């Protein structure tokens, strides 16, 4: 924790880019996803990117290495959906411990090697904890608004299991990311707080929400300020936003966090907005130009990329970020206005 906080005060830390975007370049088939071990699995597993940590580990390690070589200080583990809740789609709930452990181990191995090559630039691993495919705040059934497909307790148990395996595998940070439902995130934070106490381990925690549309709110209806207040009961290394929006559209929401957050502020937007085919066209130079506004305004401590970003994007971001100081972390003054 102290080493990361020290780095956070000295430099803008660079987070990696998209794992899924990089994996798409491999064009893995169903057989590639299965490997020998899962050749007889009863359901299709193509698209289960987290499984590739077991069946295509060299590809995962190569992607981590490329992001570190591009200038990243932190890479995320390949575990966005590695909970029993999300893995139920593939009947792979029993693999959750192994998926998280191996994903963290692979990333940590690469991080250690890169740090040994350049001790002046220590590299870190963030255990990626995604939002799951269920929401605790809203009903999936329009005819039954009181129905919930998941409970707070089920989320707490699942997140705690995931985090324990990530820590065991070597994660330096736990990153609760792409938060569209703050109640899901609060279940994760409750689980992490319990785990830290049980293990007597002061592992840093990052939280990153996602603003889903032009209304400036999360899917569960919170503004940036409300989201921040909702997760501020726990000590955080950083709070921020990722996904859904491009760098330009994310700026006003980061300004809110900059005003009120008493920890670091992170941002890893998409490479612009998706086109009609769901693809991201914004190149590295254009994304870096838009992100420069964050730097000029002193809004961030941690910068990276989400959907559509590649090592080229991260390299361009790292290149401009080195010329700026990180955001100053000060005690906020929350608004009392209605």
């Amino acid at each position: 924790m102290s080493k990361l906080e020290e780095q956070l005060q000295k430099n803008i830390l660079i987070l990696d880019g998209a794992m899924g975007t990089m994996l798409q370049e491999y064009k893995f088939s169903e057989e590639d996803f299965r490997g020998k071990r899962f050749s007889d699995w009863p359901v299709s597993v193509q698209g289960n990117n987290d499984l590739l940590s077991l069946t295509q580990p060299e590809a995962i390690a190569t992607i981590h290495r490329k992001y570190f070589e591009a200038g990243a200080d932190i890479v995320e583990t390949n575990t966005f959906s590695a909970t029993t809740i999300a893995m139920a789609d593939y009947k792979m709930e029993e693999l959750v411990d192994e998926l998280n452990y191996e994903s963290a181990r692979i990333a940590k191995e690469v991080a250690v090697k890169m740090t040994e090559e350049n001790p002046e630039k220590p590299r870190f691993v963030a255990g990626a904890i995604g939002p799951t495919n269920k929401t605790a705040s809203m009903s999936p059934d329009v005819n039954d608004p009181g129905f919930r497909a998941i409970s707070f307790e089920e989320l707490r148990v699942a997140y705690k299991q995931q985090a324990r395996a990530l820590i065991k595998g070597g994660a330096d940070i736990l990153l609760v990311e792409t938060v569209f439902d703050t109640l899901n995130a609060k279940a994760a934070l409750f689980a992490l707080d319990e785990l830290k106490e049980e293990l007597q381990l002061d592992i840093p925690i990052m939280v990153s929400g996602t603003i889903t549309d032009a209304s400036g709110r999360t899917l569960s209806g919170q503004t940036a300020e409300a989201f921040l207040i909702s997760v501020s009961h726990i000590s955080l290394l950083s709070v921020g936003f990722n996904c859904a929006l491009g760098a330009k559209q994310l700026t006003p929401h980061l300004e809110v966090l900059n005003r009120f957050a008493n920890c670091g502020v992170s941002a890893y937007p998409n490479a612009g907005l998706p086109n009609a085919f769901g693809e991201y066209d914004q190149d590295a130079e254009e994304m870096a130009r838009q992100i420069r506004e964050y730097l000029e305004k002193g809004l961030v401590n941690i910068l990276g990329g989400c959907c559509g970003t590649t090592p080229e994007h991260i390299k361009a971001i790292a290149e401009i970020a080195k010329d700026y100081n990180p955001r100053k972390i000060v005690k906020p003054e929350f608004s009392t206005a209605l």
Side-chain angles (χ1 to χ4, degrees), residues 24 44-45 49 54 82 95 114 134 154 180 188 213 218 227 259 264 280 289 305 317 323:
Q24 286 174 7
S44 173
V45 296
N49 286 347
L54 304 184
L95 292 173
M114 295 296 293
K134 294 185 179 181
E154 289 171 315
F180 61 81
D213 56 40
T218 64
F227 170 70
R259 181 181 174 192
Y280 295 86
R289 278 197 296 272
I317 292 169
D323 296 327

Side-chain angles (χ1 to χ4, degrees), residues 17-29 32-33 46 49 52 56 59-60 62-64 66-67 271 279-280 282 306-314:
M19 174 63 74
T21 299
M22 295 295 289
L23 287 172
Q24 286 174 7
E25 296 182 3
Y26 284 86
K27 294 180 169 54
F28 286 132
S29 66
D32 294 325
F33 272 86
Q46 189 170 13
N49 286 347
L52 296 173
Q56 302 291 339
I60 303 301
T62 298
I63 292 168
H64 289 321
K66 286 181 176 180
Y67 279 123
E279 298 170 344
Y280 295 86
Q282 190 174 79
C306 203
C307 301
T309 58
T310 65
E312 287 71 31
H313 291 82
I314 298 306

